Amino acid sequence: MNKVISILAMTLAFSAPAFAQGKKIEVIPESANFSGVNADTMAAGTVYFQFTANPPPFSEWITRPEAEFLNLYENFKEPETLTRRRKQRVTEKMTIYMAKAKTVINKPSVNIKLQDYVSVDFMRRLDPELKHGPITPQQTMPVVAGQPNLPNFQALCNSPTDKFIERPARELSMAESQRPGEAWCANTSRSVCVESCLIFSDGYQKFTKFYNTILAKDDFDKKDRGMASQSELRFFVSEAEWGKRKPVATITGINTPVRGVLEQNMFYFNQLVIYGKVIAIFQEHPKDASKTIVTSLLVFGMQSSTFDKAYGIGPVSLGVKDILMGNGGEKLNTPTGITSGLPKYTQTIAKTLAEILEK
């Protein structure tokens, strides 16, 4: 049996809140042009959703137009990581999962105050099953990885009597996850840095303990009993301030002024995922000044070495692709959790975001 927990560690990472009741989902086929969903075709109360049913390798995805908007930062590439056990440099290949959503909210763009959403409280509302706490720019993993007695995640994720999250202290170097030119959360007037974690259910914890006790080759191979991540949540007030080379209409299909952008960069995960990103773009409705069109996009860069493998657990055979894409994952987790499929999770996030913004 191989490193089964490498899969299971991710499965509960993004367990999402119950589906928001006020919006319905209409799935757009992957083969369809998402930009074709526009003000003329969008119905009220609907979230139009599209996802990558066949996630591409990073080397292919990075050539697509949306990569400029959804890469961790400009020129970010598959990182050369220093392996924990043998301390050898290897290139960590990525498989890219992406989802897109578009909806109309009943609020004029001038009434959307993005600064109200750049907070730990907003993160808790978006993902209430996770624990979230603020951190300073000096506490981010790209800065502190490799330092002794690493305090990250301890108070937030561990109990007074038990340690659930230990892997961050084993990271040797994360320099390639640091954004060049501007460290994460350096602009504290426009951003907040957040540490997040979710402790697995009893069943997952028991299996993790079994793996760590019986199967792990050494301390570096042991798995956490929860998922931990760090991210920066930031807002921009215009397309010009966001500073992309391509026009925003390239990915939204909406040719009206951009009145703001929310961007969450997930630059550290303790297991399976290399990075994640969520952006929400707010544009004027071309025909109704009382409404705003919101286009949200989500991407996960997953470790290909784990994503492409299947593992056996007793009579049950698990494939990472099957779990993340929803083929059989319902047996292992909640109906909206990531083991029931990334598409279902990302639909939930899109609906929840639209509900929060419309209030």
Side-chain angles (χ1 to χ4, degrees):
M1 188 183 297
N2 289 306
K3 302 175 182 178
V4 183
I5 294 301
S6 293
I7 308 169
L8 300 183
M10 178 62 178
T11 59
L12 284 177
F14 304 102
S15 293
F19 280 102
Q21 298 301 312
K23 297 279 186 179
K24 67 177 182 179
I25 288 284
E26 181 172 326
V27 177
I28 306 298
E30 186 175 7
S31 58
N33 179 11
F34 190 71
S35 296
V37 179
N38 54 45
D40 293 326
T41 59
M42 296 172 70
T46 301
V47 175
Y48 297 87
F49 179 82
Q50 187 180 63
F51 68 95
T52 48
N54 298 290
F58 178 82
S59 58
E60 175 190 327
W61 175 82
I62 195 63
T63 64
R64 299 181 181 181
E66 59 263 24
E68 179 187 353
F69 301 90
L70 291 169
N71 205 8
L72 180 61
Y73 56 76
E74 187 176 5
N75 298 323
F76 178 71
K77 59 184 180 180
E78 292 170 321
E80 275 197 359
T81 59
L82 194 62
T83 59
R84 299 178 181 87
R85 185 182 301 111
R86 298 177 181 175
K87 298 188 178 180
Q88 295 175 332
R89 286 207 164 272
V90 298
T91 299
E92 189 67 78
K93 295 293 184 180
M94 287 188 285
T95 297
I96 301 296
Y97 172 86
M98 190 171 68
K100 304 175 183 180
K102 194 180 296 183
T103 192
V104 176
I105 61 173
N106 293 311
K107 184 183 290 187
S109 58
V110 294
N111 289 353
I112 298 173
K113 310 300 182 185
L114 294 185
Q115 61 267 29
D116 295 341
Y117 303 109
V118 179
S119 68
V120 177
D121 179 65
F122 174 72
M123 296 286 291
R124 289 170 179 153
R125 294 167 66 193
L126 195 60
D127 276 317
E129 293 187 45
L130 277 70
K131 294 181 180 180
H132 300 284
I135 55 173
T136 67
Q138 292 73 38
Q139 292 175 308
T140 60
M141 285 297 295
V143 173
V144 301
Q147 296 181 12
N149 304 315
L150 191 67
N152 289 70
F153 304 101
Q154 301 305 312
L156 181 68
C157 309
N158 293 345
S159 74
T161 59
D162 209 351
K163 292 183 178 180
F164 298 98
I165 306 294
E166 299 184 80
R167 282 171 64 102
R170 302 185 191 127
E171 299 288 356
L172 302 179
S173 173
M174 290 196 63
E176 290 180 312
S177 292
Q178 182 65 281
R179 181 172 53 199
E182 183 182 4
W184 297 114
C185 287
N187 186 346
T188 54
S189 66
R190 292 289 187 89
S191 65
V192 62
C193 263
V194 180
E195 205 161 70
S196 308
C197 62
L198 176 72
I199 306 306
F200 295 164
S201 65
D202 289 342
Y204 281 94
Q205 288 194 48
K206 288 177 182 178
F207 191 87
T208 307
K209 288 181 180 179
F210 169 76
Y211 181 92
N212 289 345
T213 303
I214 305 297
L215 303 176
K217 296 178 181 179
D218 52 36
D219 283 345
F220 288 109
D221 191 28
K222 292 180 178 179
K223 312 303 176 185
D224 283 342
R225 289 154 55 195
M227 189 69 188
S229 67
Q230 290 182 337
S231 63
E232 176 197 73
L233 188 63
R234 184 172 182 172
F235 75 92
F236 303 84
V237 298
S238 68
E239 182 172 3
E241 185 184 72
W242 201 24
K244 303 300 181 182
R245 291 187 299 273
K246 296 183 178 69
V248 165
T250 302
I251 54 172
T252 68
I254 307 296
N255 291 297
T256 58
V258 174
R259 296 308 182 193
V261 179
L262 275 177
E263 180 179 278
Q264 182 187 6
N265 288 290
M266 294 168 269
F267 51 81
Y268 175 76
F269 288 90
N270 62 332
Q271 299 174 115
L272 185 58
V273 175
I274 295 175
Y275 90 96
K277 191 163 194 159
V278 181
I279 57 176
I281 302 167
F282 301 80
Q283 292 178 267
E284 294 181 4
H285 194 289
K287 297 183 177 181
D288 189 340
S290 69
K291 295 179 176 21
T292 301
I293 296 178
V294 183
T295 304
S296 56
L297 300 99
L298 178 149
V299 66
F300 287 124
M302 297 174 286
Q303 294 175 8
S304 299
S305 58
T306 302
F307 182 76
D308 291 332
K309 290 181 180 178
Y311 302 87
I313 306 178
V316 182
S317 178
L318 299 178
V320 184
K321 290 180 180 178
D322 288 337
I323 289 175
L324 294 181
M325 299 312 291
N327 301 320
E330 290 85 353
K331 299 175 183 176
L332 299 174
N333 197 12
T334 63
T336 55
I338 213 164
T339 45
S340 68
L342 272 168
K344 192 172 290 186
Y345 162 72
T346 47
Q347 286 179 32
T348 304
I349 289 297
K351 293 179 73 173
T352 303
L353 177 61
E355 290 278 316
I356 292 172
L357 294 172
E358 203 159 40
K359 289 180 179 178

